[in-house]
Amino acid sequence: KIGGRQAKQRTEEATMNAGANANMSPAEKAKAFDMAQHEMEYRVDLFNRMTSSCFAKCMDTRYKEGDLNVGENSCVDRCAAKYWQVTGIVGQMLGGMQQQQQAPR
Amino acid sequence: MDPSQLEGLPEEDKQKMLSMIENMQTKDSLRMYNSLVEKCFKDCVDSFRRKNLDSNEERCVTKCCEKFLKHSARVSVRFAELNAGAEALMQQQQKR
């Protein structure tokens, strides 16, 4: 349910872009739906991986308590921020690589 | 979710979007269920001298679930913040 919530947030953007061109041809519309779907799936996957990575990095797996202590809370916050930054850098690098591949020689 | 963001769309498209979202939520809930089971099993169950879980193992699994769900909720909040920050930045850049 939580991952789905992130999907919803992303869908809003994708659908706003789709809705902005409400008079699209069926083919364009189908493509917009596909893109919205890909975007949603990407976001959900990103969230899930962030959650599981930060759990592995931050949580004491002896499970002495069911609650997160202060240290774990801070760790999670910082982990999420760093994970996000890594996502950004990788995105830039991949974008740059694609441009190089596509540039005419 | 902010349903008003889907308002601009024709009804048919709106329904299609809503059903896509619901589909993804179901899929993700099931995925989460399975992966949580696997995680807590790996972390909590180590001996196989008996076929039933002992009370320590049961307690461990319960706490593992609680902890993971609370952790997931916290990440969800941070994720939303990071998302919102990135969108605000994008909108700023688009206005130039």
Side-chain angles (χ1 to χ4, degrees):
Chain A
K1 288 276 174 179
I2 294 174
R5 202 184 303 151
Q6 311 308 329
K8 279 174 172 175
Q9 285 182 335
R10 223 39 193 174
T11 313
E12 290 150 25
E13 267 200 18
T15 51
M16 261 173 64
N17 294 333
N21 310 316
N23 297 324
M24 286 189 289
S25 74
E28 288 169 325
K29 223 188 225 184
K31 201 168 181 188
F33 274 117
D34 279 348
M35 279 184 57
Q37 170 125 26
H38 286 140
E39 178 71 33
M40 278 196 280
E41 284 174 352
Y42 162 74
R43 286 289 153 174
V44 169
D45 192 29
L46 170 60
F47 172 77
N48 286 333
R49 287 171 192 258
M50 181 192 284
T51 302
S52 98
S53 299
C54 291
F55 192 88
K57 297 269 184 196
C58 292
M59 296 295 140
D60 177 6
T61 56
R62 287 170 299 180
Y63 301 121
K64 292 198 172 142
E65 296 229 339
D67 276 310
L68 280 62
N69 65 40
V70 172
E72 286 169 331
N73 274 335
S74 306
C75 180
V76 169
D77 294 346
R78 293 167 194 155
C79 177
K82 281 193 163 177
Y83 196 97
W84 190 261
Q85 287 173 35
V86 171
T87 303
I89 293 173
V90 173
Q92 280 178 352
M93 308 276 345
L94 288 177
M97 270 163 51
Q98 273 182 355
Q99 278 175 1
Q100 280 174 15
Q101 283 170 0
Q102 287 168 1
R105 300 189 183 183
Chain B
M1 171 186 180
D2 182 12
S4 70
Q5 300 248 355
L6 292 182
E7 280 310 304
L9 296 177
E11 188 60 26
E12 177 194 335
D13 293 350
K14 199 160 120 180
Q15 287 311 315
K16 188 169 176 182
M17 272 302 184
L18 287 173
S19 102
M20 268 164 73
I21 292 171
E22 194 186 324
N23 209 9
M24 298 202 63
Q25 281 187 315
T26 306
K27 200 164 152 187
D28 196 59
S29 293
L30 294 172
R31 184 214 54 85
M32 208 249 289
Y33 181 19
N34 256 339
S35 84
L36 187 52
V37 168
E38 188 178 20
K39 186 193 300 292
C40 296
F41 178 84
K42 278 185 179 165
D43 289 345
C44 292
V45 178
D46 276 316
S47 74
F48 300 99
R49 278 189 266 135
R50 296 203 179 85
K51 78 174 177 180
N52 286 329
L53 296 174
D54 64 38
S55 62
N56 285 333
E57 289 169 330
E58 262 195 54
R59 194 180 322 130
C60 177
V61 168
T62 305
K63 298 215 167 116
C64 169
C65 289
E66 278 177 25
K67 206 157 184 180
F68 184 83
L69 292 171
K70 288 179 182 160
H71 163 77
S72 185
R74 193 176 183 97
V75 175
S76 163
V77 170
R78 298 295 169 232
F79 189 81
E81 288 169 359
L82 291 162
N83 241 338
E87 279 177 32
L89 191 63
M90 252 172 39
Q91 281 172 4
Q92 263 180 15
Q93 287 172 345
Q94 278 171 0
K95 278 178 186 167
R96 289 180 195 173

